[in-house]
């Protein structure tokens, strides 16, 4: 056959740039095709792992086939998952969401029903107490009206004797005068009685208190942004830059400038914010400390010296929840009431309702009211803190 009629052969492959030979071998060490000269005794790939290029290509073809088969199986599995599993998942999600809604509605309905029942019960107690106080006052009005009438009759009788009787007649009326006087003396002066006062205890309800505390502390708008007044911080305490964390130190700081506001002995500190009316709440992280006090104090609390008048809970100017190791108690004016807690709270919520004259300590994690104090509070009141072990922090 002539050259003009010959069919063209395959295009020659790339040649080795160094030897100009076909790249018919594969160097596994350098991971590239090489020529026979490169793979020979004097070549650059001498001593490397060498195999024929077509064998390496066949190996790659087999890998591609295997990978394609795996991809086909994977695609089939995905198609089956999308067609068979996801619809079931979607149906189950819809079903579970519906059940979850029903559960939420059911539980909140029970809570709402309980709240309504408690509201009715408390309002009935308030009404009953109002009626009792009203009846007591009416009874007193009738009693004292009769007493006034009797005293007026006795006085009129005695005045009549005084003005119309002569000496002999007056002497003859001595027994009657004595009886009238004795009768008047039997009418005692009015005395203060709790029976005439409305008893505010009729509104106290453990359930309402827990719900109320949870609602106040569970709302960001219900908590105060409390910060420590650095002028009051004891030299045994270190205050963080954000003025929210107090750390106890056994060594007295020499850098604290003394001033009239600073506690110079007990490890106390007051907040910069004070309250005179309304409802206020804040939380304190106490999980790192085994010795602390948290509560409120009057601005009249003394600051200097080691006496009880400066020690929180030992005077009439401070009301505090305290922990020392595994002992918990509420302290005010030297009276310490032990609290039977099995473990220390990680966070301590404080609620101060000045209108209701109530101070409440609460554990947010469990919804437990730890202690409630009712009484009058002379304003202004400051959040107060003491720590004698590790750190405590105000939580926003």
């Amino acid at each position: 056959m002539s050259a003009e009629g010959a069919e063209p052969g395959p295009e020659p492959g790339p040649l080795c740039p160094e030897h100009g030979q076909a790249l018919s071998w594969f160097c596994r060490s350098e991971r590239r095709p090489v020529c026979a000269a490169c793979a020979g005794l004097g070549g650059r790939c001498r001593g490397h792992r060498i195999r024929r290029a077509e064998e390496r290509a066949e190996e790659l073809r087999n890998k591609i086939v295997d990978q394609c088969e795996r991809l086909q199986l994977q695609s089939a599995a995905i198609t089956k998952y999308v067609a068979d599993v996801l619809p079931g998942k979607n149906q189950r999600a819809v079903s579970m969401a519906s059940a979850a809604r029903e559960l939420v509605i059911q539980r909140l309905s029970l809570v709402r029903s309980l709240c309504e029942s408690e509201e009715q019960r408390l309002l009935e107690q308030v009404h009953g107490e109002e009626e009792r106080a009203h009846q007591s006052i009416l009874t007193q009005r009738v009693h004292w009206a009769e007493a006034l009438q009797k005293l007026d009759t006795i006085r009129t009788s005695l005045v009549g004797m005084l003005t119309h009787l002569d000496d002999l007649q007056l002497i003859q009326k001595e027994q009657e005068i004595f009886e009238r006087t004795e009768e008047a003396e039997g009418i005692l002066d009015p005395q203060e009685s709790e029976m005439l006062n409305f008893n505010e205890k009729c509104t106290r309800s453990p359930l309402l208190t827990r719900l109320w505390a949870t609602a106040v502390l569970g709302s960001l708008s219900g908590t105060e942004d409390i910060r420590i007044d650095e002028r009051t911080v004891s030299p045994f305490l270190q205050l963080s830059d954000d003025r929210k964390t107090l750390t106890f130190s056994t060594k007295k700081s020499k850098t604290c400038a003394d001033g009239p506001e600073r506690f110079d002995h007990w490890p106390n500190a007051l907040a910069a914010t004070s309250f005179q009316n309304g409802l206020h709440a804040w939380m304190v992280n106490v999980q790192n400390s085994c010795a602390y006090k948290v509560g409120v104090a009057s601005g009249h609390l003394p600051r200097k010296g080691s006496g009880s008048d400066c020690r929180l809970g030992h005077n009439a100017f401070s009301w505090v929840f305290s922990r020392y190791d595994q002992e918990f108690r509420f302290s005010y004016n030297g009276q310490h009431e032990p609290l039977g807690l099995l473990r220390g709270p990680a966070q301590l919520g404080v609620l101060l309702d000045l209108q209701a004259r109530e101070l409440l300590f609460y554990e947010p994690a469990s919804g437990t009211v730890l202690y409630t104090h009712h009484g009058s509070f002379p304003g202004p009141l400051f959040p107060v803190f003491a720590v004698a072990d590790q750190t405590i922090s105000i939580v926003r």
Side-chain angles (χ1 to χ4, degrees), residues 75-344:
S75 297
I78 292 174
T79 302
K80 181 177 177 60
Y81 179 81
V82 171
D84 299 341
V85 177
L86 287 185
K89 290 283 187 182
N90 185 64
Q91 185 176 359
R92 179 170 174 78
V94 171
S95 176
M96 292 185 68
S98 177
R101 290 189 191 94
E102 289 297 325
L103 180 63
V104 170
I105 293 172
Q106 182 185 45
R107 290 187 175 181
L108 286 177
S109 177
L110 288 174
V111 172
R112 193 177 297 111
S113 176
L114 180 61
C115 289
E116 290 173 353
S117 298
E118 186 70 357
E119 178 185 17
Q120 183 65 29
R121 184 184 72 83
L122 291 174
L123 291 178
E124 288 176 357
Q125 285 192 181
V126 169
H127 178 72
E129 177 60 20
E130 182 185 25
E131 285 294 310
R132 183 207 60 76
H134 180 64
Q135 288 299 324
S136 296
I137 293 170
L138 287 179
T139 301
Q140 287 287 300
R141 286 183 181 278
V142 172
H143 170 76
W144 291 114
E146 293 175 353
L148 285 172
Q149 185 176 2
K150 186 179 292 186
L151 288 174
D152 186 62
T153 301
I154 294 171
R155 182 178 178 279
T156 300
S157 175
L158 291 176
V159 170
M161 292 180 187
L162 183 63
T163 56
H164 298 103
L165 299 181
D166 57 24
D167 293 348
L168 181 59
Q169 290 172 326
L170 195 62
I171 292 172
Q172 290 174 344
K173 291 287 187 178
E174 182 177 359
Q175 180 61 32
E176 184 179 347
I177 294 172
F178 173 76
E179 291 174 357
R180 293 283 187 175
T181 302
E182 192 174 54
E183 184 180 3
E185 290 176 350
I187 302 175
L188 303 177
D189 294 335
Q191 301 292 326
E192 177 60 34
S193 171
E194 287 298 323
M195 295 297 292
L196 302 177
N197 298 330
F198 181 86
N199 185 1
E200 294 179 339
K201 292 182 180 180
C202 69
T203 62
R204 296 179 187 173
S205 159
L207 172 63
L208 179 59
T209 299
R210 287 196 298 271
L211 291 174
W212 172 71
T214 302
V216 174
L217 288 176
S219 168
L220 287 178
S221 61
T223 56
E224 306 284 343
D225 184 16
I226 303 295
R227 296 180 188 271
I228 305 294
D229 185 349
E230 56 189 351
R231 300 173 304 170
T232 69
V233 176
S234 163
F236 290 99
L237 298 177
Q238 296 177 0
L239 181 63
S240 63
D241 292 339
D242 63 0
R243 296 164 51 206
K244 286 180 173 288
T245 299
L246 291 169
T247 303
F248 177 70
S249 174
T250 56
K251 295 183 179 180
K252 190 173 184 179
S253 173
K254 297 180 180 179
T255 60
C256 283
D258 195 16
E261 298 89 358
R262 191 178 305 281
F263 293 95
D264 66 355
H265 180 80
W266 298 107
N268 303 340
L270 290 175
T273 308
S274 65
F275 310 119
Q276 291 186 318
N277 49 59
L279 171 64
H280 306 277
W282 58 98
M283 285 194 292
V284 185
N285 189 335
V286 294
Q287 63 180 343
N288 295 324
S289 178
C290 290
Y292 61 82
K293 294 179 181 179
V294 174
V296 294
S298 165
H300 301 297
L301 178 67
R303 318 293 171 87
K304 306 302 181 183
S306 59
S308 294
D309 57 339
C310 302
R311 191 177 183 186
L312 299 185
H314 289 255
N315 48 65
F317 303 110
S318 55
W319 300 256
V320 293
F321 175 98
S322 66
R323 174 182 182 178
Y324 182 75
D325 198 12
Q326 294 304 312
E327 294 181 3
F328 304 88
R329 60 188 186 182
F330 172 78
S331 300
Y332 164 65
N333 203 18
Q335 302 296 316
H336 311 289
E337 186 167 346
L339 307 178
L341 304 185
L342 299 179
R343 59 176 179 79

Side-chain angles (χ1 to χ4, degrees), residues 16-66:
C16 175
E18 183 177 352
H19 301 103
Q21 299 181 17
L23 300 175
S24 57
W25 296 87
F26 178 77
C27 178
R28 301 185 65 178
S29 299
E30 296 186 3
R31 308 292 298 175
R32 68 184 183 89
V34 295
C35 69
C38 290
L41 293 177
R44 58 181 295 174
C45 295
R46 180 171 53 87
H48 292 182
R49 293 179 297 167
I50 302 296
R51 63 185 306 182
R52 299 194 68 83
E54 60 266 25
E55 293 177 0
R56 175 58 180 168
E58 185 64 23
E59 180 183 355
L60 290 175
R61 290 189 184 93
N62 291 335
K63 282 188 176 182
I64 291 173
V65 170
D66 292 343

